[in-house]
Amino acid sequence: MPKLALRFSTQTLLLQLGVVLLVVLLSGTVHAWLVYGRIGTEAENQALTLARTVASDPALRSQVQAISNEPGTPPPAVLAAGPIQAAAEAARSRTGALFVVVTDETGLRLAHPDLVRLGERVSTDPSDALSGKEVTTRNTGTLGPSAGAKVPVFAPGSAGTGSAATVVGEVSVGYSMESLSQSLAKDIVPIAVTAAGSLVAGVLASFLLRRRLQRLTLGLEPEEISTLVHDQVAVLQGVDDGVIGISADGRITVFNAAARRLLGMPEGAGTPGSPAAAGSDWSGTDLAGTDWENAPVPAQLKALTQPSAHDAEAVEIVAGGRVLVANARKALHRKEDLGWVVMLRDRTELQQLTRQLDAVGTMSAALRAQRHEFANQLHTIAGFMSIGQHGQAKDYLARISATGPLKFPVQQAELLQDPYLQAFVGAKSVEADERGVALRIGPETLVREHVTEPQDVTTVLGNLIDNAVNAAVAGSSTQRWVELELLDEPGPDGGTLHIVVADSGDGLGGVEPERVFVEGFTTAEPAEGVIARAGGQGLGLALVRQLARRRGGDVRVLDPGSSGGPGAVFMATMPGVTGKPGDASLAESSAAAEPPAAERKEGHQ
């Protein structure tokens, strides 16, 4: 039967309990040893004091000297009844000592608690005391283990110091080690209480630490945490979607490389100056641990994590020259709030594809209309020929050749020499004409080179024309028109295309010109502005300005316009989007790969 493995938190608890128990036992043992040593030292000092007292008694000194001067040693019966035995026993009884022994100069007992041993030689070496030294001892004698002291007995009249002092005997005093153990037992109670309290505190702290560890690790084992970390790194760095994790306390815990790329941040940094960090003074090298409210990310992302925000509600933003769809979800684990997860998806390519499909549809509609017109022209020629009016047929063909077989409803279209601009503006003119707006080319238009970046040009030009047409339709003027002027400026790294678009609308209506370029602004609610939702309005001008600035150009308002017309005038500058006539093949190949894109209709900003 396989042995069940303990959980890591349980192993940690047991290890902590073992360490606490070991520390308490070692501390208690050391404390007890120190106390025992202190009690033994006190007993030795007490024995030394008692021995000195007994040895300094003049009567005792005289009697010991008298016995020492006599030949031999008195019989035990005489010693037992003598004054030396009486004095020693009195001192022992009074102090509770184990023994008080008095000897002569040869080490024979003159006083001893056991009367049988009187007249015998002492069991421990008396040479140090008989040589005039005071010593403390811990040894085992005839009465058992003891802690005591030995003090010399000097002859009466002797100074007691120096070589002239005469030693006539010694006094040995001892206290039982058993009594020391009893004293230790009394002192050990506080030690035991302290050790028990320390053990209880350690156990309680270990349980609290175990609970905190389980809460921090969500009950996962180290192997599971390691696997999750590896999986997280693999997934976060391997997906194309941006992932931002915000903890429950409002700190960024995850900010993968895709999120930095989509938000236009330098790799591994959120330095000021990047599009996402505009207006922020944050200068760290890693967003992990940064307060979410102070992070250099668009305000629309922060709004998604507000308590009032709806879970999984999507928002469409422009960042780093890209159109992103973002949504946030609440992260929960076993009903525990872990914070928010914000997902970023790049919708730029989808937007481009949508614009291309719109352009294809616009061009198809325009070509169907022109095809119908061309078919009518052929029927007219056939009619002239069938009735024999060959001269009129010839004149009719000459007029068609002068104006072209396909005529877009755009005024002064001949000022556009680039075929790509002709086709795109012509398609836009068809749309404008269907809405009752005349699209005309301004007299200052002069484009000598060919478009080499059709996608960027149509993104900017299409948005500006669509906004102008919408403004003209919504304006109060009876004459609805949009005027477009284009001028190219040759350069060593590609020419710069200047675009000016004016309309007959009612202008910006008092709105600050710079405000129309704010992400999410639209005239759908001119007083407040709205935040664009997925598939909504409010991204056109913000997108084209970022696109132009990414190329080193800009989009700005030249004239905010006035009520009743004329309307606002916008100007776009796009460097590096035109080339020499010899580069026409590049424009044609780009056009073949990316059909002219008509930006989706935006409300006039």
Side-chain angles (χ1 to χ4, degrees), residues 450-515:
H450 293 271
V451 173
T452 59
E453 298 289 342
Q455 185 63 57
D456 290 350
V457 171
T458 53
T459 297
V460 175
L461 182 58
N463 267 282
L464 294 180
I465 292 178
D466 289 343
N467 286 346
V469 170
N470 291 337
V473 171
S476 57
S477 176
T478 56
Q479 295 183 352
R480 298 177 177 178
W481 53 265
V482 172
E483 184 170 293
L484 171 67
E485 287 189 350
L486 299 100
L487 179 65
D488 66 334
E489 178 183 353
D493 298 326
T496 299
L497 183 64
H498 302 278
I499 303 172
V500 178
V501 179
D503 58 67
S504 61
D506 293 331
L508 301 182
V511 178
E512 287 290 331
E514 284 300 312
R515 190 181 175 196

Side-chain angles (χ1 to χ4, degrees), residues 311-509:
D311 192 17
E313 184 176 6
V315 61
E316 193 172 79
I317 66 173
V318 177
R322 300 175 182 270
V323 179
L324 306 178
V325 176
N327 69 295
R329 291 183 181 274
K330 199 70 174 175
L332 299 174
H333 179 77
R334 299 175 183 175
K335 298 183 179 181
E336 181 180 357
D337 184 5
L338 302 182
W340 291 87
V341 176
V342 179
M343 300 292 297
L344 300 174
R345 297 177 180 85
D346 190 356
R347 199 179 174 185
T348 305
E349 295 181 358
L350 181 59
Q351 290 281 357
Q352 292 175 350
L353 180 60
T354 301
R355 289 194 296 269
Q356 292 171 4
L357 292 177
D358 288 344
V360 171
T362 300
M363 295 293 289
S364 298
L367 290 176
R368 283 197 300 270
Q370 296 302 325
R371 175 179 164 285
H372 180 71
E373 180 182 349
F374 185 65
N376 291 337
Q377 292 172 349
L378 289 179
H379 287 305
T380 302
I381 294 173
F384 281 133
M385 296 296 291
S386 63
I387 62 176
Q389 299 292 329
H390 301 288
Q392 292 186 12
K394 184 178 180 179
D395 294 338
Y396 186 67
L397 283 173
R399 289 197 302 271
I400 292 177
S401 298
T403 59
L406 298 178
K407 182 179 179 182
F408 289 112
V410 56
Q411 302 176 22
Q412 303 186 83
E414 65 275 4
L415 295 177
L416 292 177
Q417 301 300 318
D418 180 75
Y420 189 87
L421 289 178
Q422 289 179 353
F424 181 72
V425 175
K428 284 296 183 183
S429 69
V430 173
E431 289 184 346
D433 186 65
E434 291 176 351
R435 301 182 64 183
V437 178
L439 177 62
R440 64 194 185 205
I441 306 299
E444 302 298 327
T445 296
L446 179 59
V447 180
R448 294 157 292 182
E449 297 185 336
H450 293 271
V451 173
T452 59
E453 298 289 342
Q455 185 63 57
D456 290 350
V457 171
T458 53
T459 297
V460 175
L461 182 58
N463 267 282
L464 294 180
I465 292 178
D466 289 343
N467 286 346
V469 170
N470 291 337
V473 171
S476 57
S477 176
T478 56
Q479 295 183 352
R480 298 177 177 178
W481 53 265
V482 172
E483 184 170 293
L484 171 67
E485 287 189 350
L486 299 100
L487 179 65
D488 66 334
E489 178 183 353
D493 298 326
T496 299
L497 183 64
H498 302 278
I499 303 172
V500 178
V501 179
D503 58 67
S504 61
D506 293 331
L508 301 182

Side-chain angles (χ1 to χ4, degrees), residues 8-9 13 47 81 92 107-108 110 170 174 188 194 232 316 327 336 355 375 421 438 454 466:
F8 175 71
S9 57
L13 174 63
R92 185 181 71 83
L108 298 178
L110 303 180
E170 60 98 11
I188 206 68
T194 303
Q232 175 186 342
E316 193 172 79
N327 69 295
E336 181 180 357
R355 289 194 296 269
L421 289 178
D466 289 343

